[in-house]
Amino acid sequence: MNLDKIMAERFSCRKYSTYVPTREELTALLEAARIAPSACNRQPWHFTVVGADDADGRSAVAASYERDWVTTAPVYIIISGNSDNAWVRPFDSHNHVDVDAAIATEHICLKATELGLATCWICNFDPAALTSRMTFPEGFHPIVILPVGRPAEGTVIPAKTRKPLSETVTWR
């Protein structure tokens, strides 16, 4: 599969089959994240894999994001970041932990698509609810919950509805 096809086929999956990704598949996703670029190569991220058999972890995710569909995912990867380890732009003190986490997350999403897996970015979760029920490495806070699995049978990749370049690009 070429990169253009992978990008076109990546979508936010909200219904998963019962297939549980293998350890090898999950390792490939994590390796894709590991090699992602980060500002000044700080790599201020950590990845917590919540497996299909981790009832407590699954319950914590469900409590932090109360949507029924999320429980259909067999695995979650929680991308957390450490703001103290991230690069900070000196001109305005902007901390890039979220940017770095986003790059790593999208590397996972693209690799998942290549492997026939699906994902969905979840940023609209309650971090306090999640951290009250799960432990993260010291100094790290959850940024993204990423369900991972195969799409449920019959799932159709939705058409991309994106603004045209003429509305999003300025050529100078």
Side-chain angles (χ1 to χ4, degrees):
M1 193 180 299
N2 70 35
L3 184 57
D4 288 336
K5 184 171 172 56
I6 291 169
M7 290 184 297
E9 291 188 3
R10 196 227 59 85
F11 72 103
S12 296
C13 183
R14 291 185 176 87
K15 188 172 183 186
Y16 296 85
S17 76
T18 58
Y19 174 81
V20 178
T22 67
R23 178 74 136 207
E24 291 77 19
E25 288 170 325
L26 293 170
T27 299
L29 301 182
L30 297 166
E31 180 62 22
R34 186 188 70 79
I35 65 170
S38 62
C40 293
N41 199 28
R42 295 284 182 91
Q43 305 169 56
W45 49 53
H46 184 83
F47 309 96
T48 301
V49 180
V50 178
D53 59 350
D54 180 356
D56 290 340
R58 296 181 61 74
S59 176
V61 168
S64 72
Y65 184 73
E66 296 179 348
R67 306 292 191 288
D68 290 339
W69 71 264
V70 79
T71 61
T72 69
V75 174
Y76 310 104
I77 299 174
I78 301 170
I79 297 87
S80 56
N82 185 321
S83 297
D84 293 337
N85 289 346
W87 179 74
V88 176
R89 185 169 47 211
F91 302 102
D92 62 358
S93 300
H94 179 79
N95 189 299
H96 276 69
V97 70
D98 285 354
V99 174
D100 292 340
I103 296 167
T105 301
E106 191 59 12
H107 268 58
I108 294 171
C109 292
L110 294 174
K111 185 65 177 181
T113 301
E114 180 187 44
L115 297 177
L117 300 170
T119 57
C120 182
W121 282 69
I122 299 175
C123 295
N124 183 25
F125 65 94
D126 180 348
L130 188 60
T131 57
S132 72
R133 299 176 70 163
M134 285 188 75
T135 302
F136 293 93
E138 186 174 339
F140 284 83
H141 61 277
I143 297 172
V144 177
I145 299 172
L146 198 63
V148 179
R150 284 194 182 150
E153 189 173 329
T155 299
V156 176
I157 299 171
K160 300 263 190 248
T161 54
R162 303 295 192 265
K163 294 177 183 178
L165 285 179
S166 61
E167 291 182 28
T168 61
V169 175
T170 301
W171 294 87
R172 296 181 50 112

